[in-house]
Amino acid sequence: MPLYLGLDCSTQGLTAIVIEVNRDVRRVVFNSSLNFDRDFPEYGTTGGVRRGVDANEVFASPLMWADALDRMMARLARGAEIDITDIRAIAGSAQQHGTVYLNHHAPAAWRSLDPMAALAPQLSHTLSRELSPVWMDATTTTQCREIEEALGGAEATAALTGSPACERFTGPQIRKFFQDQPAAYAHTASIHLVSSYLASLLAGAHASIDPGDASGTNLMNLRDNTWSQAALEATAPSLGTRLPVIRDSWEIAGRLSPYWQKRYSLPATAIVSWTGDNPSSLIGTGIIRDGLLAVSLGTSDTAFTCTVEPAARSSHVFRSPTGDFMNLVCFRNGSLAREWLRREYRLDWNAVGAILDRSPGNDGLMMLPWLETEITPRVTRAGLRRFGFDHDDADANVRGLIEGQMMAIANHAASLSGATIDRIIATGGAAVNHAILQVMANVFNVDVYRLDVENSAALGAALRAYHADRLASGEPVSWHTVVSGFTEPNPGHRVSPNPKHVATYAALRKEYAMLEHLHQHRDPIC
Ligand code: ADP
Ligand code: XUL
């Protein structure tokens, strides 16, 4: 029974999914999640991250991610559901853009790990920077402008790397580290993304990075999937020698190291290139052709499509794990802003849903949901902007925030595809919420589906492991075959637009776009 393991190390937790794939059977046989705040309190995270004095400084410990990987492998090995010796390949994904800084001790330490001892404590001497900046960090505006200037402006940077210089992206983050801590940069022998760091821990050696995650760095030439010399030079000295090699998403990056084999009696299985959580979700939601849109409601909200050529006006163009292009828009005020509603007004998710259902359109009252600084559009002054109501009206705040989020996603996702979107696949933690999906369907005027498997990034990783294993065995399978049986929308989960409310939102969306434009650079008003 060939089994494939997919891991996803996202902002708030680590998930493992094992799939069984053979001629007659395609099913998930193991699905388990760890939550950083709950299961690793010693790292002191809230929502999976820690903050600096400045709320825009956001980081997490690479040891926490290693600890979670170790604990998940223990769970997997103990799990009665599966025979772990049948695992044929492991692939994974991680939150994008975050960087892990390692000194020259790392490779030797990985090779000589003691299988009787926990992983994380054996890694503490391998870091040249204790904490990793993650995608929520927004402290690199100066470095973004410097990089863009060196590369001929924002448009030229986007044409070269797929995105203008962005605060959370790897390149600007590395430049800031080099400028602020030159001695620590000098002691940094290698810099990994979260994805290639975790793949390296599994393989016991530096693992490659895939073009999907490398396109979230402002360092890769999007056209030929190589590190761009111009971008490297614009970022930090001798950077090229510190970065992992870029290899195709379906390449085998190594074999599971003796540490894992001895510690958990796992086989010397293939480790497939890891990728970013969004590119992995693209596979896990079956977005392998144009005309489909995925909306992920996780810590960040993202929307993405897959096209043969980059969409002309997309905020970000990444490489898709299929080898095509992935067009993406990302919002920082996603689940954490929705969580704020629950805390502030003491509501559970059912109560949030009931408020959304009660008066779609919020009687025309609107909110710009920028609880924290925002990525799309770029907002540097945090604070909710309410129009026509105040903080004390709980219902208006709930609808204003969530309807505002959905209108922002719909407006900004309009440039992600050349084709007409015929269905939306919703994923991420909030996709279980029917009322939120109903708002989405009404705002977009398109059917919204939720998949049976909730963590599409971990599922995507397991599917990529299957794809890569078949390719390596000389029996390649098409992407259509890879995803079939796992990502077909379940008609029972369809949420259709309610014609009564579609026209209301069509008008509100225009107004929302105007408000966004007017207030993007202004201070919060109340
Ligand atoms: P990430 O992958 O970014 O770590 P997830 O996709 O797992 O995050 O999403 C986690 C979020 O899902 C939580 O922060 C929580 O707000 C949200 N969530 C969980 N259940 C619900 C629900 N019933 N309704 C709305 N949001 C929910
Ligand atoms: C995408 C982005 C986030 C992270 C965390 O550009 O920054 O979606 O990948 O999930």
Side-chain angles (χ1 to χ4, degrees):
M1 286 298 171
L3 301 179
Y4 298 96
L5 168 60
L7 294 154
D8 173 51
C9 181
S10 288
T11 314
Q12 300 194 53
L14 186 128
T15 298
I17 284 183
V18 178
I19 57 172
E20 179 186 340
V21 187
N22 62 37
R23 204 171 302 139
D24 317 306
V25 181
R26 285 174 164 253
R27 61 187 180 121
V28 172
V29 290
F30 179 88
N31 188 345
S32 175
S33 292
L34 291 163
N35 177 277
F36 297 136
D37 296 358
R38 185 190 59 219
D39 298 317
F40 300 90
E42 61 276 28
Y43 291 96
T45 58
T46 303
V49 298
R50 285 167 54 186
R51 309 251 174 181
V53 188
D54 173 349
N56 280 326
E57 203 184 333
V58 190
F59 37 77
S61 168
L63 299 183
M64 176 179 77
W65 298 325
D67 237 346
L69 185 64
D70 194 10
R71 200 174 304 174
M72 184 53 84
M73 291 309 230
R75 261 194 198 177
L76 186 77
R78 277 199 308 268
E81 307 93 315
I82 55 169
D83 180 350
I84 50 173
T85 56
D86 287 335
I87 297 178
R88 294 272 289 269
I90 302 174
S93 65
Q95 54 173 294
Q96 296 192 256
H97 318 299
T99 31
V100 180
Y101 298 77
L102 300 161
N103 58 33
H104 69 275
H105 296 300
W110 296 338
R111 272 196 307 274
S112 55
L113 290 168
D114 173 5
M116 301 305 286
L119 178 64
Q122 302 188 65
L123 299 176
S124 45
H125 71 290
T126 64
L127 302 174
S128 60
R129 185 180 187 178
E130 199 189 332
L131 294 169
S132 294
V134 300
W135 68 273
M136 294 166 83
D137 188 280
T139 58
T140 63
T141 307
T142 308
Q143 290 73 23
C144 287
R145 296 298 81 78
E146 289 169 352
I147 290 170
E148 284 180 348
E149 198 174 309
L151 293 177
E155 267 181 43
T157 307
L160 178 68
T161 70
S163 302
C166 300
E167 275 85 349
R168 66 192 192 286
F169 275 39
T170 313
Q173 289 290 344
I174 293 174
R175 182 166 177 79
K176 183 161 190 283
F177 180 56
F178 152 69
Q179 289 177 341
D180 291 356
Q181 301 182 56
Y185 181 78
H187 283 114
T188 300
S190 49
I191 304 174
H192 275 284
L193 271 84
V194 186
S195 63
S196 55
Y197 162 67
L198 291 170
S200 303
L201 294 185
L202 289 178
H206 285 300
S208 51
I209 182 174
D210 93 310
D213 221 12
S215 39
T217 61
N218 280 141
L219 293 168
M220 190 187 84
N221 183 330
L222 192 71
R223 282 288 159 191
D224 63 11
N225 297 351
T226 59
W227 296 124
S228 151
Q229 200 49 42
L232 294 174
E233 280 165 17
T235 301
S238 309
L239 180 53
T241 57
R242 289 172 163 89
L243 293 174
V245 186
I246 304 174
R247 293 177 72 193
D248 285 333
S249 304
W250 44 83
E251 295 262 346
I252 309 291
R255 297 259 147 206
L256 194 65
S257 79
Y259 174 77
W260 302 101
Q261 295 178 39
K262 291 185 191 138
R263 186 162 171 75
Y264 296 121
S265 306
L266 285 157
T269 186
I271 308 297
V272 178
S273 254
W274 282 43
T275 189
D277 54 359
N278 289 296
S280 196
S281 255
L282 181 137
I283 302 299
T285 49
I287 306 288
I288 54 168
R289 67 163 174 86
D290 203 359
L292 299 172
L293 177 76
V295 176
S296 171
L297 304 174
T299 314
S300 60
D301 286 348
T302 59
F304 48 84
T305 60
C306 179
T307 51
V308 176
E309 284 300 320
R313 289 184 304 111
S314 175
S315 329
H316 304 300
V317 183
F318 297 152
R319 279 288 181 167
S320 145
T322 59
D324 299 312
F325 292 94
M326 170 175 186
N327 313 287
L328 176 137
V329 61
C330 177
F331 302 85
R332 188 172 188 232
N333 286 287
S335 275
L336 299 183
R338 291 185 286 274
E339 288 285 356
W340 174 85
L341 286 173
R342 280 212 316 166
R343 273 198 319 279
E344 194 71 6
Y345 301 104
R346 296 171 199 280
L347 302 166
D348 61 20
W349 288 122
N350 287 336
V352 168
I355 293 171
L356 289 175
D357 288 342
R358 204 146 50 225
S359 184
N362 207 20
D363 303 316
L365 301 175
M366 282 203 253
M367 180 198 279
L368 296 168
W370 301 328
L371 187 66
E372 298 203 354
T373 58
E374 183 48 73
I375 293 168
T376 312
R378 193 162 175 282
V379 177
T380 54
R381 291 166 215 174
L384 302 173
R385 276 78 161 171
R386 301 179 179 88
F387 301 91
F389 63 105
D390 63 18
H391 166 273
D392 296 339
D393 185 342
D395 284 26
N397 275 274
V398 168
R399 286 192 292 266
L401 191 142
I402 294 174
E403 291 181 350
Q405 289 179 324
M406 296 307 132
M407 288 193 275
I409 298 173
N411 287 348
H412 290 280
S415 56
L416 298 184
S417 172
T420 309
I421 298 297
D422 50 46
R423 89 172 72 115
I424 293 175
I425 310 295
T427 180
V432 297
N433 192 313
H434 185 276
I436 296 180
L437 299 197
Q438 186 63 63
V439 178
M440 190 188 292
N442 291 345
V443 168
F444 277 84
N445 193 18
V446 176
D447 284 343
V448 176
Y449 291 85
R450 174 165 70 78
L451 301 177
D452 291 325
V453 180
E454 270 161 34
N455 190 308
S456 54
L459 175 63
L463 292 170
R464 289 200 316 106
Y466 161 55
H467 170 265
D469 175 61
R470 292 297 301 265
L471 188 66
S473 320
E475 297 170 342
V477 275
S478 69
W479 283 107
H480 178 76
T481 306
V482 170
V483 302
S484 68
F486 289 102
T487 64
E488 282 81 8
N490 180 340
H493 287 166
R494 186 176 65 203
V495 183
S496 296
N498 180 337
K500 225 169 81 193
H501 305 302
V502 168
T504 312
Y505 285 117
L508 288 177
R509 271 176 63 174
K510 290 195 188 116
E511 213 177 307
Y512 183 91
M514 259 158 47
L515 283 177
E516 195 179 69
H517 184 69
L518 270 176
H519 290 272
Q520 180 186 354
H521 302 295
R522 290 192 190 163
D523 282 324
I525 40 178
C526 58

